[in-house]
Amino acid sequence: MERVGAVVLAAGAGARMGNRPKCLLELDGIPLIQRQLMALSGAGVVEQVVVLGHHAARIQPVISDFPVTLVCNPDPAAGQVSSLRLGLRSLSSSVDTVLVALADQPLVNAQDIVDLLGAYRQRPAGTSLVRADVDGQPGNPVVFSIHVCKEILTSDPAFGGKQWQEAHPDQVHRWISGNTHYRMDVDSPEDIELLAARTGHRLHWPMDLAFQP
């Protein structure tokens, strides 16, 4: 039986959000990082590693009741690749399929994860990584084999998922999907407004983060 492990990246500074943790934005009163973890669990992902960095002390209590492995990037300013590699190293040896998710995707739900994993299981022969292609643009999460994980971890420290895809384009399956959930994340206040305009979903900051100095 396939065992899927997820790495959820939540180490960013949120510089374009006024240095606030994007994953704590709330949709219908639920922080985005909680929504992501619930979606993964609902899709049957058996193991979840959350990589924190900037804002770790503020985020950790929000997910303390979830059965996840928490790891903290000691140098989150080194970039997302360093957080990815830390998360991959923290997965157990029983995992044979890896899903890498962002903590700030507001609309990704359990069915979206199920559909993506289904596309991975039905991927063309000779491919090892699957990501959604929505209107010609790459989406998230991304799913790949444990062999890809091992190749990343045995490569140069600056080598991550993007670099692996560039090095092995023939092993990447771009799964065509019309599901815009895979393309939606929030990096700036403008993204919050765009999400509301396009979908009617309005994100809100928790009380202590609502007002910037």
Side-chain angles (χ1 to χ4, degrees):
M1 181 67 179
E2 177 188 61
R3 288 182 60 84
V4 182
V7 173
V8 180
L9 300 174
R16 293 165 64 191
M17 287 289 195
N19 291 307
R20 291 178 289 182
K22 299 178 294 180
C23 67
L24 296 187
L25 277 163
E26 296 177 354
L27 177 58
D28 298 329
I30 302 173
L32 297 187
I33 191 166
Q34 288 189 0
R35 299 181 74 91
Q36 184 69 272
L37 296 176
M38 289 187 288
L40 291 166
S41 295
V45 175
V46 297
E47 184 177 326
Q48 299 173 33
V49 174
V50 177
V51 184
L52 302 178
H54 296 286
H55 312 295
R58 179 62 181 81
I59 298 169
Q60 185 168 349
V62 174
I63 56 176
S64 60
D65 291 336
F66 286 79
V68 301
T69 300
L70 287 179
V71 293
C72 191
N73 186 344
D75 185 18
Q80 194 176 83
V81 169
S82 67
S83 293
L84 169 66
R85 293 170 67 92
L86 182 62
L88 294 178
R89 283 196 299 270
S90 301
L91 290 168
S92 73
S93 59
S94 66
V95 166
D96 48 38
T97 301
V98 180
L99 183 149
V100 178
L102 307 178
D104 62 344
Q105 287 194 280
L107 300 183
V108 169
N109 58 40
Q111 188 59 53
D112 299 332
I113 302 294
V114 168
D115 293 344
L116 181 62
L117 290 173
Y120 174 80
R121 294 179 184 113
Q122 297 172 27
R123 68 193 185 279
T127 58
S128 302
L129 181 147
V130 173
R131 73 183 312 160
D133 185 304
V134 183
D135 297 327
Q137 298 295 317
N140 284 292
V142 176
V143 186
F144 48 82
S145 71
I146 195 64
H147 302 293
V148 174
C149 175
K150 292 175 180 177
E151 286 184 29
I152 291 172
L153 292 179
T154 54
S155 298
D156 182 270
F159 193 86
K162 180 181 179 182
Q163 291 74 22
W164 188 92
Q165 291 178 66
E166 291 172 347
H168 304 279
D170 56 321
Q171 294 187 48
V172 177
H173 174 50
R174 291 171 174 80
W175 170 55
I176 304 301
S177 172
N179 187 345
T180 57
H181 293 183
Y182 299 121
R183 281 287 301 162
M184 291 182 179
D185 59 6
V186 284
D187 291 322
S188 67
E190 292 75 21
D191 290 339
I192 294 176
E193 296 303 321
L194 188 61
L195 179 73
R198 287 182 174 176
T199 70
H201 293 291
R202 169 64 67 176
L203 302 179
H204 298 279
W205 290 102
M207 288 281 288
D208 66 310
L209 297 175
F211 301 102
Q212 299 183 63

